Amino acid sequence: MRGNSLCTRFKAGEKVFSTGDPADSMYIILRGSCQIIGPPTAEKPFGLPLLHLRAGQLLSERTFLNNTPHEGSAVACGAGVDASSDPDADVLVLAEFSRHNMDQLLRRRPDIGMLVYKNLAHDIGEKLHHGNIRAVAEMAASIPCQD
């Protein structure tokens, strides 16, 4: 898979992609983390933080698969370690798979395609599960209690 991906680095605070950008690539977070931020609104002009992703997780997989523009922005957070002990502490490292390279890989190695799609399904399921837990907790917190 190494020949089909591009290793991309982002400093903390840099945007990986913005709301409305085409989803031409899918990413695997190799190091660091990133924040997914919803589109700006009147109440939240910089967008609402939606999700925090860490090393080993996928980024941009849903919009990549659906071939739709990004519905939010991704901002690099870095590795979350002390910068004095690690010069790459504020770096997000991604393996970037373009649509063209992913198509070539899946044609050459259908067995890898099965693993990729299995991992995609698992990762999307985990994100959905955690999103549901967060939504239920927020809803429960907004219900007034009666004594």
Side-chain angles (χ1 to χ4, degrees):
M1 287 182 58
R2 190 174 286 165
N4 291 89
S5 67
L6 174 68
C7 188
T8 312
R9 299 167 66 91
F10 297 87
K11 291 275 191 189
E14 279 187 272
K15 279 193 178 178
V16 177
F17 54 78
S18 297
T19 303
D21 287 352
D24 296 330
S25 295
M26 179 175 61
Y27 309 88
I28 299 173
I29 300 174
L30 301 176
R31 179 183 170 91
S33 64
C34 71
Q35 185 79 37
I36 305 300
I37 301 171
T41 64
E43 299 82 28
K44 299 281 186 182
F46 298 106
L48 179 68
L50 301 174
L51 192 61
H52 189 86
L53 301 176
R54 292 179 172 74
Q57 290 188 288
L58 298 170
L59 172 62
S60 182
E61 71 282 1
R62 191 183 60 76
T63 52
F64 178 83
L65 290 172
N66 292 334
N67 201 17
T68 57
H70 291 292
E71 296 170 353
S73 299
V75 179
C77 298
V81 296
D82 181 13
S84 64
S85 64
D86 185 348
D88 286 336
D90 64 343
V91 175
L92 169 68
V93 181
L94 303 174
E96 179 179 356
F97 294 88
S98 70
R99 189 171 307 285
H100 173 76
N101 286 351
M102 184 62 81
D103 288 346
Q104 282 186 332
L105 173 65
L106 298 181
R107 280 191 192 100
R108 272 196 329 264
R109 295 286 311 271
D111 57 320
I112 291 177
M114 289 297 293
L115 290 172
V116 167
Y117 285 115
K118 181 180 175 185
N119 289 336
L120 279 169
H122 180 270
D123 197 59
I124 290 171
E126 285 292 311
K127 289 174 184 171
L128 181 62
H129 175 71
H130 290 292
N132 287 343
I133 290 171
R134 189 173 55 247
V136 168
E138 289 171 4
M139 190 171 45
S142 69
I143 299 172
C145 295
Q146 294 182 2
D147 292 328

